Amino acid sequence: MSKKNKARRRPASQAMTSQARAGQARAAAGQEGETSRSEADAIVQQVLTSLWEGVASGDPLRAELETATCMAFSYVLGQRDPADIESFIDTVLVRGALRRRNPDGAALLRLLMTLGTAQTRRAASRALAELTGQGIYPPEWVTEIGKAAPSQAWRRYDVFGDDEAIAVTFSYGEAEHGIVVQVDLAGIPVATAIGVSSDAAKLIEAISGNNEEFDRSEQISLTEAGARTLRPLDQAGREDSPRLSPSSIAYLPVARSRVRRLPDGGEPQTVYTAADRAAAVEEFVTSPQAAEAVAADEESTRFWAEVLTGYSGRIPGEPPGQVGPRKLAHILLGHVPNTFVLSPAQRGHLEPAVTAWVRWSADRRELGEAGTAVLVEQVPRVLSRFGEAYDDPDATAMRGYASGLATSAAEVSWLSEMVGRRMFALPLPDEHGPLDLADPADRRRLVQEEFGECTPPPGMTSEEFVEAAHRVIEELWQDEDNSTYQEANRLFADGLARHDVIHRLAGTPAPTMGSSIIR
């Protein structure tokens, strides 16, 4: 690196301070909910000023953080649609860098190629090629962008298995920094908070010390840190994920970039199979904790044991029978109402079966008297809301997606995948009355409502097109991996919207479709 570039640097901590100020301004704008165009423009200008100062500083970490802050701007102001976010990045950052036609603009394009989505990376790469074709090249320091060397990793977690925080430190040039990712494990693992610290030592001290009563910490390998953060970071920021704070959104691309630097594989992971979960169920129903519940209704007790134990199958490596206060609420107020049609006996036996299972789980994991009390006290709090959750019209409609698939012993990850596939075939309408998606007549009605006003392809009447769309959706609804589903996946991956995918498939001549389409 040249001495000139070294002289231009400022500490990354200054960049994080300016990033925090910009985050506060954006948060305030979002909270007001009535940000005027002029106010929004002023905030954009403030963030862009910090961006170009960061790029000019020649400090890779600072430049990354400022770039990530700008990439997050439209999201923080409420534009969660990926297309809107991509449009903002392309218009303001990619084209803005191109218009500058100087080395700093080229440097920003290199930053976007490191931090952006595949679409952003392609756009930035084309723009950079245009600049270099004119003899405009980024400064030397950009060769360091993203090349942070991982040093050590720590994990802080609660004994119930509801959440964990992973911290990883990195050497970056002459300095060290760290990232920390808070992961919610109650459902599909998702990052709920993300931070970047310029003081790696203090970060490790914070995550490894002063544990709360039910918190533990341990040093883990870099490989394990990658395995525990890769998928949660991928899930973060999506429409159906918990809303992240402005600072977390800004740090998200930097954290993703750092996790990609962690080693992949090399360490065997404990695998728990369906047989392990079935064995845990048998262990429970023969345990002292289950004796009274089994005596009252063995069949219903076994049903709830399979539901609760089987939930661990959604995460590879999670032991059967693990539950915490938040996870228990997630299972009984989300997973069960959205998945299972319960018999009167199963509903009536819910409290004794769940209470017995929770006591067994706490004893099996040696949580002690205090930990057991926390879990047992959560049961009546959750069950007091169960009836409302189960009878909710949206939950009733959602159960239709799992019709014919949801057994108490079903593989939860597989079931989630199948429900997601069916929701792609036929999304739940925003406005709906009583709806039974297990009923083919209700599915046909939704198809008619969605495609009845569409212009049919040449050679088809409106009625023929709706019928063809219905056949496609019924094909996607099935659980075999047919050619229609494969083609829908390909079209969707190519960027076609879900409605347009169905439209395209419905207008395709029958010989190219799956066998069950040809009727």
Side-chain angles (χ1 to χ4, degrees):
M1 179 189 302
S2 67
K3 292 182 179 179
K4 179 180 179 181
N5 279 333
K6 280 188 176 181
R8 296 170 67 196
R9 289 181 174 225
R10 290 192 338 203
S13 58
Q14 293 183 28
M16 282 180 257
T17 300
S18 66
Q19 193 252 12
R21 287 198 300 268
Q24 291 168 356
R26 294 193 308 278
Q31 290 166 359
E32 290 167 7
E34 298 179 352
T35 308
S36 68
R37 179 61 184 268
S38 60
E39 289 172 324
D41 289 344
I43 298 171
V44 170
Q45 189 57 52
Q46 175 188 353
V47 175
L48 287 174
T49 298
S50 294
L51 167 67
W52 290 114
E53 289 175 353
V55 172
S57 73
D59 182 335
L61 179 59
R62 181 185 176 194
E64 283 184 280
L65 293 171
E66 298 290 3
T67 301
T69 297
C70 284
M71 291 169 61
F73 184 79
S74 59
Y75 179 100
V76 171
L77 288 186
Q79 296 178 338
R80 300 193 77 186
D81 187 327
D84 291 339
I85 295 172
E86 292 287 355
S87 177
F88 174 86
I89 293 172
D90 182 67
T91 302
V92 176
L93 300 183
V94 176
R95 297 181 193 177
L98 189 59
R99 285 193 296 270
R100 293 179 82 90
R101 300 199 177 279
N102 64 15
D104 282 352
L108 176 57
L109 293 172
R110 282 290 297 272
L111 287 158
L112 293 170
M113 289 167 62
T114 299
L115 301 175
T117 64
Q119 183 175 335
T120 295
R121 292 196 299 269
R122 288 192 296 268
S125 179
R126 289 193 296 268
L128 183 59
E130 183 175 335
L131 288 184
T132 56
Q134 298 172 7
I136 301 171
Y137 297 92
E140 292 179 29
W141 64 263
V142 301
T143 59
E144 299 180 44
I145 293 172
K147 294 181 180 178
S151 302
Q152 58 175 311
W154 283 76
R155 172 181 177 239
R156 184 168 180 163
Y157 61 97
D158 78 288
V159 296
F160 302 110
D162 276 347
D163 60 65
E164 64 184 10
I166 308 298
V168 187
T169 63
F170 296 84
S171 299
Y172 205 14
E174 300 172 358
E176 263 198 322
H177 68 278
I179 66 166
V180 61
V181 180
Q182 183 77 30
V183 180
D184 182 356
L185 299 171
I188 299 298
V190 59
T192 55
I194 302 154
V196 177
S197 172
S198 59
D199 193 327
K202 282 190 176 180
L203 175 62
I204 296 303
E205 180 182 348
I207 204 167
S208 62
N210 300 319
N211 290 331
E212 300 295 332
E213 180 181 5
F214 298 115
D215 280 355
R216 305 289 184 271
S217 62
E218 61 180 357
Q219 186 166 10
I220 60 176
S221 70
L222 295 172
T223 301
E224 183 177 352
R228 289 185 176 276
T229 53
L230 183 62
R231 189 180 183 192
L233 286 171
D234 181 59
Q235 293 288 327
R238 296 187 178 185
E239 190 65 35
D240 57 350
S241 65
R243 193 174 183 90
L244 295 174
S245 69
S247 60
S248 289
I249 281 292
Y251 289 137
L252 179 57
V254 176
R256 285 173 172 164
S257 172
R258 295 299 182 269
V259 168
R260 289 197 293 269
R261 304 288 297 177
L262 299 177
D264 181 22
E267 294 182 3
Q269 183 183 49
T270 302
V271 176
Y272 296 98
T273 65
D276 294 318
R277 291 186 286 276
V281 170
E282 292 302 323
E283 180 185 327
F284 164 69
V285 296
T286 58
S287 68
Q289 292 88 351
E292 188 174 336
V294 169
D297 186 342
E298 180 176 355
E299 184 177 349
S300 294
T301 300
R302 182 177 292 274
F303 169 85
W304 287 113
E306 288 177 341
V307 169
L308 292 163
T309 305
Y311 191 72
S312 65
R314 80 203 182 285
I315 303 179
E318 181 172 295
Q322 183 161 304
V323 72
R326 288 194 301 104
K327 192 176 298 180
L328 186 64
H330 197 94
I331 295 171
L332 296 180
L333 301 179
H335 175 59
V336 170
N338 291 339
T339 307
F340 299 101
V341 177
L342 301 177
S343 69
Q346 289 164 348
R347 287 195 69 165
H349 200 58
L350 173 58
E351 183 169 8
V354 170
T355 302
W357 189 89
V358 162
R359 289 187 179 278
W360 165 81
S361 172
D363 182 72
R364 189 174 191 254
R365 292 181 288 156
E366 300 180 345
L367 295 184
E369 185 176 340
T372 301
V374 168
L375 286 180
V376 172
E377 289 167 5
Q378 175 72 340
V379 174
R381 287 196 289 265
V382 172
L383 294 187
S384 68
R385 299 156 56 197
F386 179 81
E388 180 182 358
Y390 185 81
D391 296 332
D392 183 271
D394 282 350
T396 302
M398 283 296 299
R399 290 196 288 273
Y401 286 107
S403 174
L405 306 173
T407 65
S408 56
E411 183 75 36
V412 176
S413 57
W414 170 82
L415 185 60
S416 176
E417 180 182 343
M418 295 310 304
V419 168
R421 170 177 168 165
R422 289 181 170 186
M423 292 190 74
F424 174 85
L426 200 62
L428 186 67
D430 291 333
E431 300 290 337
H432 65 82
L435 181 64
D436 182 8
L437 289 168
D439 185 347
D442 272 13
R443 297 202 297 271
R444 180 179 287 275
R445 176 173 58 82
L446 292 180
V447 175
Q448 176 66 46
E449 291 173 358
E450 180 179 1
F451 293 94
E453 299 299 320
C454 291
T455 301
M460 297 180 75
T461 66
S462 180
E463 291 76 11
E464 289 171 337
F465 175 67
V466 170
E467 183 62 29
H470 177 257
R471 289 197 300 267
V472 169
I473 285 172
E474 287 298 299
E475 179 84 0
L476 296 175
W477 193 268
Q478 303 307 314
D479 59 357
E480 72 263 15
D481 190 17
N482 53 56
S483 58
T484 302
Y485 178 62
Q486 294 169 3
E487 181 65 6
N489 263 341
R490 186 189 68 78
L491 293 172
F492 190 69
D494 287 345
L496 211 61
R498 173 254 163 207
H499 177 90
D500 296 332
V501 168
I502 307 298
H503 211 288
R504 176 82 60 87
L505 293 175
T508 301
T512 67
M513 304 298 291
S515 59
S516 59
I517 288 283
I518 306 171
R519 294 183 174 92

